[in-house]
Amino acid sequence: MKRYLTKNMVALLVACGTLVSCSSEQKTSLSSDKSISSSPIIKIEKFVAYTQKFNDTTTLKQNHATGHIGDFFFTHWKDGGSTSLTMKTNGEFNVSWQGGGYNYVGGPGWHYGDKNRVIGYRFDTDSGANFITVYGWGYDNTMPADDPAHLVEYYILQRWTDAYEPSQNGTFGKTFISNGIEYSTYRTLREEKPSINSTSTFYQYWSKPKQPLPLGKERQIIFADHVKAWADSGWALPNMNNFNASDDPTYQVMAVEVFNPPADGTASGRVWDARLD
């Protein structure tokens, strides 16, 4: 749930060199010897900011940044406050935030959604992020814009706090089991809110486990199970590989989100495409 900077503004920031800072110095204590090979990078010409790529440990401290770190796409966005995202080319990442009245969302993943993707991840620390979640968008520009189903923001929650509880305001769909975890689906409506396609009215789809999942364990999220569960609930997911939106393509990331954090905190882990293990 974020506001968007126009691509012209982002392109200007990229040209001015104000978006990112890079360093070969190791910025996190995360370690793993699992080899990584992600989906191939497709040349993106429409969204200028997405064409930047970094081949070393990268730390983002500015308000807005997108691009690739190694073979991974990343998004890093905040509307104020102080938050940094440090990434390595193998999918390791660390988000650090200071308390304040602002919203942040960011993390590594892919610049398009894939129904058959199996997202591997491990989270080692979490100091109270509102959401740790698979996060992405689907968009069908052939559907009427006044149909909320034409644009969908989706969440597969893994950890969360009670500051925002989708089951309290959402329409319940069904309960299902995926990879040994029981999830419940919910749908919420966002009316005239910022999105990847300017200000729009759109749906949010949620998959929520019975309780937040513990840290320190490697897990796999079978995305197709969630797509099916949403469809079984009557909620179709639009095109997840669409470059026709005004502000962003339909990316899919493992995101850390904080809003109005009451105190400083951090969340760290790693993401990979588990189909390639």
Side-chain angles (χ1 to χ4, degrees):
M1 291 178 284
K2 70 178 187 178
R3 298 182 184 276
Y4 284 83
L5 194 67
T6 67
K7 292 301 152 185
N8 288 338
M9 294 170 67
V10 173
L12 178 60
L13 289 172
V14 172
C16 293
T18 59
L19 279 178
V20 298
S21 61
C22 303
S23 172
S24 60
E25 180 182 356
Q26 183 171 330
K27 297 295 183 67
T28 68
S29 61
L30 304 174
S31 63
S32 176
D33 55 8
K34 186 186 295 294
S35 61
I36 292 295
S37 176
S38 187
S39 301
I41 300 300
I42 299 172
K43 185 176 181 181
I44 305 172
E45 297 180 348
K46 179 177 179 180
F47 304 110
V48 176
Y50 288 72
T51 64
Q52 62 181 338
K53 182 174 180 179
F54 306 99
N55 296 310
D56 207 342
T57 299
T58 301
T59 295
L60 311 170
K61 296 183 178 180
Q62 295 76 9
N63 283 355
H64 308 275
T66 51
H68 290 86
I69 172 74
D71 287 339
F72 290 92
F73 165 81
F74 66 83
T75 183
H76 167 78
W77 176 93
K78 57 188 171 72
D79 60 6
S82 179
T83 307
S84 66
L85 169 64
T86 296
M87 295 172 295
K88 295 183 180 181
T89 58
N90 69 347
E92 293 181 9
F93 66 104
N94 180 289
V95 175
S96 297
W97 63 87
Q98 294 182 357
Y102 65 97
N103 178 210
Y104 170 82
V105 62
W110 301 268
H111 68 257
Y112 64 98
D114 183 344
K115 177 182 177 180
N116 296 314
R117 182 170 287 132
V118 179
I119 299 108
Y121 82 90
R122 183 194 71 249
F123 264 85
D124 298 311
T125 62
D126 172 23
S127 299
N130 290 97
F131 298 139
I132 291 177
T133 181
V134 171
Y135 171 67
W137 293 85
Y139 174 55
D140 185 346
N141 56 295
T142 68
M143 294 177 63
D146 59 357
D147 182 347
H150 85 288
L151 180 64
V152 171
E153 182 182 39
Y154 60 83
Y155 292 78
I156 304 175
L157 298 179
Q158 303 297 286
R159 294 177 62 83
W160 65 93
T161 65
D162 293 332
Y164 183 83
E165 173 53 71
S167 63
Q168 293 179 357
N169 300 308
T171 300
F172 173 75
K174 66 175 292 186
T175 297
F176 69 104
I177 304 293
S178 177
N179 202 25
I181 298 172
E182 181 178 307
Y183 291 88
S184 294
T185 64
Y186 300 91
R187 188 181 71 179
T188 52
L189 177 67
R190 297 278 283 171
E191 295 185 86
E192 291 302 302
K193 300 296 183 181
S195 75
I196 63 168
N197 194 47
S198 190
T199 299
S200 301
T201 295
F202 55 93
Y203 283 130
Q204 295 171 315
Y205 297 170
W206 304 81
S207 288
K208 178 178 176 287
K210 294 179 68 174
Q211 60 272 325
L213 301 180
L215 298 169
K217 181 178 180 180
E218 292 191 354
R219 302 182 185 277
Q220 293 184 1
I221 298 172
I222 303 170
F223 188 57
D225 289 350
H226 298 269
V227 175
K228 181 179 184 303
W230 294 331
D232 290 346
S233 302
W235 314 329
L237 193 60
N239 185 1
M240 293 179 290
N241 190 8
N242 191 324
F243 290 89
N244 292 304
S246 62
D247 299 311
D248 278 310
T250 49
Y251 59 77
Q252 182 178 77
V253 299
M254 177 59 76
V256 173
E257 182 166 356
V258 294
F259 42 91
N260 300 324
D264 298 356
T266 186
S268 63
R270 182 166 175 250
V271 65
W272 63 90
D273 189 334
R275 292 178 303 180
L276 303 176
D277 288 354

